[in-house]
């Protein structure tokens, strides 16, 4: 049976009772099949699995969707139970930031945190890395699972773990997609039928990029043909987020809005060599 705790003190007691290799899956709740894939991967790689559920205000800007972000704790706990999760930590904002957020010591994301998502959402990765660092210290995992859908986040967490000598294995879990190709996201529930139809240009653009020796141009052509999308960025980068190679493996990353819902996606591509 899945144990559920809401305070750091109770987490410490429950964590002490876990045995063997421990994996953590940090989430903001509103769990879907993509999260289930992370839980399954955690179960495969560890003896005990912790899931954290916390909508982190540090990574939302004032004009973003913090208040309307879906909060479905009862349903989320049922998912965790079904997936054999051992322990859920679902703290309040006051529990995580008892002295408030003004003047809080944070984890600076470095130059890579100012690219792509960081350029569009200043301070986002400082918020992400700060809460992930806190959750790592509180749960003391041997491994942590992160979905590849948030590829820049995955890369930033790996960099933090390496730079700060945290000694945690960061495991990438492939992006889970819905039947129509859209990457699963907790925000997909906000899409109207017309907005969802427009959003499907994103996976189409990725498919075109993967089939072309010029991934960026191929993706841009597909996205430009969809008037229902407001494209934020399209970029091809190296797998470590460095400059894209002239030839060889790379990553295409896309962010766009369908209506008011912001969506991100990414996939591996080969520059100069169509697949």
């Amino acid at each position: 049976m899945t144990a559920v705790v809401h305070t750091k003190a109770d987490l410490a007691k429950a964590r002490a009772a876990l045995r063997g290799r421990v994996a953590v899956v940090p989430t903001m709740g509103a769990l879907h099949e993509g999260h289930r894939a992370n839980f399954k991967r955690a179960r495969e790689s560890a003896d005990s699995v912790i899931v954290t559920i916390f909508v982190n205000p540090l990574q939302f800007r004032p004009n973003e969707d913090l208040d309307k972000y879906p909060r479905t704790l009862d349903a989320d706990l049922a998912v965790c139970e079904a997936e054999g999760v051992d322990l859920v930590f679902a703290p309040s904002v006051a529990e995580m930031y008892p002295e408030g957020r003004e003047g809080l010591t944070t984890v600076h994301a470095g130059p890579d945190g100012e690219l792509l998502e960081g350029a569009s959402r200043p301070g986002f990765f400082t918020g992400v890395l700060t809460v992930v660092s806190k959750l790592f210290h509180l749960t003391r995992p041997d491994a942590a699972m992160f979905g590849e859908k948030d590829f820049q986040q995955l890369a930033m967490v790996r960099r933090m773990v390496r730079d700060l000598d945290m000694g945690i294995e960061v495991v990438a879990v492939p992006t889970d997609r819905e039947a129509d190709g859209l990457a699963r996201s907790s925000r997909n529930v906000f899409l109207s039928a017309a907005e969802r139809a427009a959003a499907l240009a994103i996976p189409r653009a990725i498919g075109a990029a993967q089939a072309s020796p010029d991934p960026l141009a191929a993706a841009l052509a597909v996205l430009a043909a969809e008037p229902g999308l407001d494209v934020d960025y399209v970029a091809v980068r190296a797998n470590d987020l460095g400059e894209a190679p002239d030839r060889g493996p790379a990553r295409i990353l896309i962010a766009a809005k369908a209506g008011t819902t912001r969506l991100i996606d990414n996939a591996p591509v080969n520059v100069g060599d169509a697949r």
Side-chain angles (χ1 to χ4, degrees), residues 70-126:
R71 292 163 171 83
T72 56
L73 183 59
D74 288 344
D76 293 343
L77 294 179
V79 171
C80 291
E81 181 75 33
E83 294 298 330
V85 170
D86 297 286
L87 175 62
V88 171
F89 177 47
S92 65
V93 173
E95 183 68 17
M96 288 297 287
Y97 306 117
E99 297 182 19
R101 288 169 271 156
E102 293 299 320
L104 182 72
T105 299
T106 58
V107 178
H108 185 260
D112 286 351
E114 298 173 5
L115 303 170
L116 304 171
E117 286 296 287
S120 296
R121 305 172 68 188
F124 172 72
F125 284 112
T126 292

Side-chain angles (χ1 to χ4, degrees), residues 182 198-207 222-223 229 254-256 263-265:
L182 192 65
L200 292 179
I202 298 173
R204 288 200 305 272
I206 286 176
V222 173
L223 295 170
L229 272 188
I254 299 174
L263 303 169
I264 62 172
D265 205 344

